Amino acid sequence: MTTAVVLGNSSLPGGYGLLRLAAPEVAVSSLPGHFVHVNCGPGFTLPRPFSVFDADPEGGWIEILYKVVGAGSGAMAAWRVGDGVSFLGPIGRPFLTTLARPSRALLIAGGVGLAPLDFLARFLVRCGTEVHFFLGLEGESPLPLTPGAGGALTLGRLGELGIRVHLASRGERAGFFRGNVTDLVARVLAGGELGELAGTGVFVCGPMAMMRAAAALVGGYGLTGECSLEERMGCGFGGCAGCVAPVRIGDGGEWEYRRVCVDGPVFPLDRVDWERGGAFR
Ligand SMILES: Cc1cc2nc3c(=O)[nH]c(=O)nc-3n(C[C@H](O)[C@H](O)[C@H](O)COP(=O)(O)OP(=O)(O)OC[C@H]3O[C@@H](n4cnc5c(N)ncnc54)[C@H](O)[C@@H]3O)c2cc1C
Ligand code: FES
């Protein structure tokens, strides 16, 4: 368990928060796709998992982009600079462990699924990968765009890095494609504007239905990649099997439950058994 001090905790539009924690060793070892299992305070039996949104080894800090959805994330929103926070991490298998770095990447995020993919986008572009970032937001949900302690957040920062950002919303919004984010990806793929698709990898994080649709869509183009699953978690270290998801293990329909916390959260997109029930939402 790491004990860290809160360096910043800003409230952002859309019910998001950005938490910066002083954690030098964790900052050095965190990669895109890793998560931390955060103790939300007295009265919370189980920690809550959050992706590492950013990590600065030189500054000795990590950041978490969180959406307030319940008691644990609500408690986090009340943390102040100087408070002490304990957490496990970084945990899990990050992105790019089941796939070599592609020359072009399509990143498909739904809602707060943007947190690990934003980190991945910045990592990939630094390595020379051409990155297209697709983000779907519910209805009128504002963008988490306000300047944070580190400068312009998320979409503004991605744009500055030359990453092409494509936005989708099911509600009517200026500058957004109207529909599901996967419909927007389908339109771009069908339009042929990406040209030759060889060397393209796909990375997905968001609600299960959206990831299932993304896997089916890109599979139809012969593309694959990785997804980060967001199962509910118990222990966070592989001991309780409270976080399992069905994963295909052979080519003959064999499958087994894998623990999202330590076998994932990142899995090959074409290996997750999207149709099987079990613990899957
Ligand atoms: C590997 C991983 C990475 C994650 N990264 C982030 C992140 O970067 N930012 C972020 O905001 N959230 C992230 N989540 C989701 C986050 O863990 C939950 O939102 C959080 O645990 C909710 O805790 P709570 O006490 O506020 O809400 P609760 O009171 O526990 O639940 C409130 C509502 O949220 C739903 N919920 C709870 N946990 C999850 C979950 N794991 N997935 C989907 N819905 C859930 C519940 O069903 C309920 O409807 C991640 C989850 C996983 C497994
Ligand atoms: S949360 Fe306990 S095994 Fe994954």
Short mmCIF file of all heavy atoms in Angstrom, two decimals, residues 4 8 18 29 32 39 78 102 107 129 135 143 164 176 178-179 188 219 230-231 234 243-244 267 274 278-279:
data_model
loop_
_atom_site.label_atom_id
_atom_site.label_comp_id
_atom_site.label_asym_id
_atom_site.label_seq_id
_atom_site.Cartn_x
_atom_site.Cartn_y
_atom_site.Cartn_z
N ALA A 4 0.15 8.51 -0.14
CA ALA A 4 0.51 9.68 -0.94
C ALA A 4 -0.16 10.91 -0.37
O ALA A 4 -1.13 10.82 0.38
CB ALA A 4 0.07 9.47 -2.38
N GLY A 8 -3.17 18.26 -5.63
CA GLY A 8 -4.21 19.08 -6.26
C GLY A 8 -5.44 18.23 -6.45
O GLY A 8 -5.35 17.00 -6.60
N LEU A 18 -10.09 16.04 -11.13
CA LEU A 18 -8.71 15.68 -11.46
C LEU A 18 -7.90 15.71 -10.19
O LEU A 18 -7.75 16.76 -9.56
CB LEU A 18 -8.13 16.66 -12.48
CG LEU A 18 -6.68 16.35 -12.88
CD1 LEU A 18 -6.61 15.07 -13.71
CD2 LEU A 18 -6.08 17.51 -13.68
N SER A 29 6.79 3.88 -12.37
CA SER A 29 6.42 2.57 -12.89
C SER A 29 5.07 2.53 -13.59
O SER A 29 4.68 1.50 -14.12
CB SER A 29 6.45 1.53 -11.76
OG SER A 29 5.74 2.00 -10.66
N PRO A 32 0.43 3.51 -19.52
CA PRO A 32 -0.98 3.62 -19.92
C PRO A 32 -1.70 2.27 -19.81
O PRO A 32 -1.23 1.26 -20.33
CB PRO A 32 -0.88 4.07 -21.39
CG PRO A 32 0.44 4.76 -21.48
CD PRO A 32 1.35 4.02 -20.55
N ASN A 39 -8.09 3.72 -1.64
CA ASN A 39 -8.86 3.68 -0.38
C ASN A 39 -9.57 5.03 -0.22
O ASN A 39 -8.92 6.06 -0.05
CB ASN A 39 -7.87 3.44 0.76
CG ASN A 39 -8.57 3.34 2.10
OD1 ASN A 39 -9.75 3.65 2.21
ND2 ASN A 39 -7.84 2.91 3.11
N ALA A 78 -13.97 15.50 -2.16
CA ALA A 78 -13.82 16.39 -1.00
C ALA A 78 -12.37 16.49 -0.52
O ALA A 78 -12.08 17.25 0.41
CB ALA A 78 -14.72 15.90 0.13
N PRO A 102 1.51 -0.05 -33.01
CA PRO A 102 1.14 0.09 -34.43
C PRO A 102 1.64 1.40 -35.01
O PRO A 102 1.97 2.33 -34.28
CB PRO A 102 -0.39 0.07 -34.38
CG PRO A 102 -0.72 0.67 -33.04
CD PRO A 102 0.41 0.29 -32.11
N LEU A 107 -8.12 5.17 -31.27
CA LEU A 107 -8.48 5.05 -29.86
C LEU A 107 -9.96 5.41 -29.74
O LEU A 107 -10.39 6.48 -30.22
CB LEU A 107 -7.63 6.01 -29.00
CG LEU A 107 -6.26 5.48 -28.56
CD1 LEU A 107 -5.43 4.96 -29.70
CD2 LEU A 107 -5.50 6.55 -27.79
N THR A 129 3.59 7.13 -33.45
CA THR A 129 2.35 6.55 -34.00
C THR A 129 1.38 7.67 -34.38
O THR A 129 1.24 8.65 -33.65
CB THR A 129 1.70 5.62 -32.95
OG1 THR A 129 2.55 4.49 -32.75
CG2 THR A 129 0.33 5.14 -33.37
N LEU A 135 -14.13 10.02 -29.25
CA LEU A 135 -14.71 10.11 -27.91
C LEU A 135 -16.22 10.29 -28.01
O LEU A 135 -16.70 11.20 -28.69
CB LEU A 135 -14.11 11.30 -27.14
CG LEU A 135 -14.76 11.62 -25.79
CD1 LEU A 135 -14.59 10.46 -24.81
CD2 LEU A 135 -14.18 12.90 -25.19
N LEU A 143 -17.57 18.75 -21.71
CA LEU A 143 -16.25 18.13 -21.87
C LEU A 143 -15.38 18.46 -20.67
O LEU A 143 -15.39 19.59 -20.18
CB LEU A 143 -15.57 18.69 -23.12
CG LEU A 143 -16.27 18.42 -24.43
CD1 LEU A 143 -15.63 19.22 -25.54
CD2 LEU A 143 -16.20 16.95 -24.75
N ARG A 164 -5.71 13.74 -34.02
CA ARG A 164 -6.99 14.08 -34.62
C ARG A 164 -8.09 13.59 -33.69
O ARG A 164 -8.18 12.40 -33.38
CB ARG A 164 -7.05 13.39 -35.99
CG ARG A 164 -8.31 13.53 -36.72
CD ARG A 164 -8.27 14.66 -37.77
NE ARG A 164 -9.61 14.84 -38.28
CZ ARG A 164 -10.10 14.14 -39.29
NH1 ARG A 164 -9.35 13.26 -39.92
NH2 ARG A 164 -11.35 14.34 -39.70
N PHE A 176 -20.20 18.01 -32.98
CA PHE A 176 -20.22 16.58 -32.68
C PHE A 176 -20.98 15.83 -33.78
O PHE A 176 -21.98 16.33 -34.30
CB PHE A 176 -20.98 16.31 -31.37
CG PHE A 176 -20.20 16.59 -30.12
CD1 PHE A 176 -19.80 17.89 -29.83
CD2 PHE A 176 -19.89 15.58 -29.23
CE1 PHE A 176 -19.09 18.16 -28.67
CE2 PHE A 176 -19.19 15.84 -28.06
CZ PHE A 176 -18.78 17.13 -27.78
N ARG A 178 -23.68 13.20 -34.55
CA ARG A 178 -24.81 12.80 -33.73
C ARG A 178 -25.01 11.28 -33.82
O ARG A 178 -25.35 10.75 -34.88
CB ARG A 178 -26.09 13.52 -34.18
CG ARG A 178 -27.24 13.18 -33.25
CD ARG A 178 -28.37 14.14 -33.35
NE ARG A 178 -29.33 13.83 -32.30
CZ ARG A 178 -30.51 14.36 -32.21
NH1 ARG A 178 -30.90 15.25 -33.08
NH2 ARG A 178 -31.31 14.02 -31.23
N GLY A 179 -24.79 10.60 -32.72
CA GLY A 179 -24.94 9.14 -32.69
C GLY A 179 -23.93 8.54 -31.73
O GLY A 179 -23.25 9.25 -30.98
N VAL A 188 -16.15 6.87 -40.50
CA VAL A 188 -14.77 7.19 -40.93
C VAL A 188 -14.15 6.00 -41.67
O VAL A 188 -13.51 6.17 -42.71
CB VAL A 188 -13.92 7.61 -39.70
CG1 VAL A 188 -12.44 7.68 -40.06
CG2 VAL A 188 -14.40 8.94 -39.16
N GLY A 219 -13.44 -5.63 -36.23
CA GLY A 219 -13.17 -7.01 -36.66
C GLY A 219 -13.61 -7.21 -38.11
O GLY A 219 -12.97 -7.95 -38.87
N GLU A 230 -13.73 -2.50 -17.44
CA GLU A 230 -13.98 -1.80 -16.18
C GLU A 230 -14.97 -2.59 -15.33
O GLU A 230 -16.09 -2.17 -15.10
CB GLU A 230 -14.48 -0.38 -16.45
CG GLU A 230 -13.40 0.47 -17.10
CD GLU A 230 -13.61 1.96 -16.94
OE1 GLU A 230 -14.70 2.37 -16.52
OE2 GLU A 230 -12.65 2.69 -17.26
N GLU A 231 -14.55 -3.79 -14.90
CA GLU A 231 -15.39 -4.59 -14.01
C GLU A 231 -15.38 -4.02 -12.59
O GLU A 231 -14.41 -3.35 -12.19
CB GLU A 231 -14.86 -6.04 -13.96
CG GLU A 231 -15.55 -6.99 -14.90
CD GLU A 231 -17.06 -6.96 -14.80
OE1 GLU A 231 -17.59 -6.84 -13.68
OE2 GLU A 231 -17.73 -7.02 -15.84
N GLY A 234 -13.04 -6.21 -6.13
CA GLY A 234 -12.93 -6.41 -4.69
C GLY A 234 -11.52 -6.10 -4.24
O GLY A 234 -11.15 -4.95 -4.03
N CYS A 243 -13.85 -10.00 -9.92
CA CYS A 243 -13.77 -9.06 -11.05
C CYS A 243 -13.69 -9.79 -12.38
O CYS A 243 -13.23 -9.21 -13.36
CB CYS A 243 -12.51 -8.21 -10.89
SG CYS A 243 -11.00 -9.20 -10.93
N VAL A 244 -14.12 -11.08 -12.42
CA VAL A 244 -13.80 -11.88 -13.60
C VAL A 244 -14.60 -11.50 -14.84
O VAL A 244 -15.71 -10.98 -14.75
CB VAL A 244 -14.00 -13.39 -13.32
CG1 VAL A 244 -12.98 -13.86 -12.30
CG2 VAL A 244 -15.42 -13.68 -12.89
N PHE A 267 -7.07 -6.43 -22.27
CA PHE A 267 -7.14 -7.73 -22.94
C PHE A 267 -7.15 -7.51 -24.45
O PHE A 267 -7.55 -6.44 -24.92
CB PHE A 267 -8.43 -8.47 -22.55
CG PHE A 267 -8.48 -8.92 -21.11
CD1 PHE A 267 -9.06 -8.10 -20.15
CD2 PHE A 267 -7.95 -10.13 -20.72
CE1 PHE A 267 -9.11 -8.50 -18.82
CE2 PHE A 267 -8.00 -10.53 -19.39
CZ PHE A 267 -8.57 -9.72 -18.44
N TRP A 274 -17.56 -11.35 -25.81
CA TRP A 274 -18.53 -10.28 -25.59
C TRP A 274 -19.96 -10.80 -25.47
O TRP A 274 -20.82 -10.14 -24.89
CB TRP A 274 -18.46 -9.28 -26.76
CG TRP A 274 -17.12 -8.66 -26.92
CD1 TRP A 274 -16.19 -8.95 -27.87
CD2 TRP A 274 -16.53 -7.65 -26.09
NE1 TRP A 274 -15.06 -8.18 -27.69
CE2 TRP A 274 -15.25 -7.37 -26.61
CE3 TRP A 274 -16.97 -6.95 -24.96
CZ2 TRP A 274 -14.40 -6.43 -26.03
CZ3 TRP A 274 -16.13 -6.02 -24.39
CH2 TRP A 274 -14.86 -5.77 -24.93
N GLY A 278 -22.53 -14.22 -17.51
CA GLY A 278 -21.69 -14.27 -16.31
C GLY A 278 -21.63 -12.92 -15.63
O GLY A 278 -22.62 -12.22 -15.50
N ALA A 279 -20.45 -12.55 -15.26
CA ALA A 279 -20.28 -11.30 -14.51
C ALA A 279 -20.36 -10.09 -15.42
O ALA A 279 -20.28 -8.96 -14.97
CB ALA A 279 -18.93 -11.32 -13.80
#
